[in-house]
Amino acid sequence: MWKETGGVNMITLFSSLLSGIIATIITLVWTWRNARKDKRYEYKLSVFKDLMAYRNDITEKASSSGVFESAINQVFVAYNDCPDVLDKFEVFRKTVAYNKNKENDEIVIADLLQLLKSMAKQLKINYSFSNDDLFSKPIQIKE
């Protein structure tokens, strides 16, 4: 009788310890994945915010701060898990690379517009309240 009770107690003790260990491992993995996902989102948002905030860098009247160029060069790193953004980035990159004589500035702006819209969609930023000028024409208080 004692041996049966001892065996049952050992099984209960072992299963209790095992379930606690498994729950802890699951919690740690879940927390790590969520933290990683949050960091990636914050990085994407940071790149997008810099692109939107420094759109004046690409206007003819403004002197470049370099922030827009820095942000645009980080797009393929930040959005590496977003095929649609990467496709639009590659189209934009090629358009800029082959527009040395500034012949196709309208195409460059159109490709940039598509890239920014794709990034906003990825970040779930609603821009339906406005037209394309929201992305392509920065607000300038003084001209």
Side-chain angles (χ1 to χ4, degrees):
M1 182 92 169
W2 174 256
K3 288 183 181 181
E4 288 178 20
T5 305
V8 171
N9 285 339
M10 289 300 287
I11 291 173
T12 303
L13 179 64
F14 180 72
S15 65
S16 296
L17 286 172
L18 188 61
S19 68
I21 291 169
I22 290 172
T24 301
I25 290 170
I26 290 171
T27 302
L28 289 174
V29 169
W30 182 265
T31 303
W32 175 78
R33 288 186 70 204
N34 278 344
R36 187 171 172 216
K37 187 177 177 183
D38 289 345
K39 284 180 185 178
R40 180 169 283 282
Y41 179 83
E42 289 301 320
Y43 182 40
K44 288 176 183 178
L45 185 60
S46 173
V47 169
F48 183 74
K49 286 185 343 186
D50 283 347
L51 289 173
M52 294 303 293
Y54 289 92
R55 288 173 292 160
N56 283 331
D57 283 2
I58 60 172
T59 61
E60 290 182 25
K61 296 178 184 176
S63 60
S64 178
S65 67
V67 177
F68 186 88
E69 288 84 3
S70 176
I72 202 74
N73 283 304
Q74 293 179 57
V75 169
F76 77 96
V77 176
Y79 290 84
N80 199 268
D81 60 342
C82 310
D84 185 53
V85 174
L86 290 177
D87 290 343
K88 301 238 178 358
F89 174 74
E90 187 60 12
V91 168
F92 173 74
R93 188 187 68 76
K94 286 180 180 177
T95 302
V96 170
Y98 298 114
N99 190 34
K100 296 296 181 196
N101 298 329
K102 307 293 181 200
E103 299 167 352
N104 299 316
D105 283 347
E106 298 84 26
I107 296 172
V108 171
I109 296 302
D111 289 347
L112 176 61
L113 175 64
Q114 293 305 311
L115 174 62
L116 292 173
K117 285 174 134 180
S118 181
M119 292 168 69
K121 183 179 178 183
Q122 176 66 29
L123 293 168
K124 296 179 177 50
I125 295 174
N126 181 10
Y127 57 87
S128 63
F129 61 89
S130 185
N131 59 18
D132 291 347
D133 288 349
L134 177 68
F135 295 102
S136 62
K137 296 193 177 160
I139 298 170
Q140 296 175 329
I141 304 300
K142 295 180 182 181
E143 294 201 25

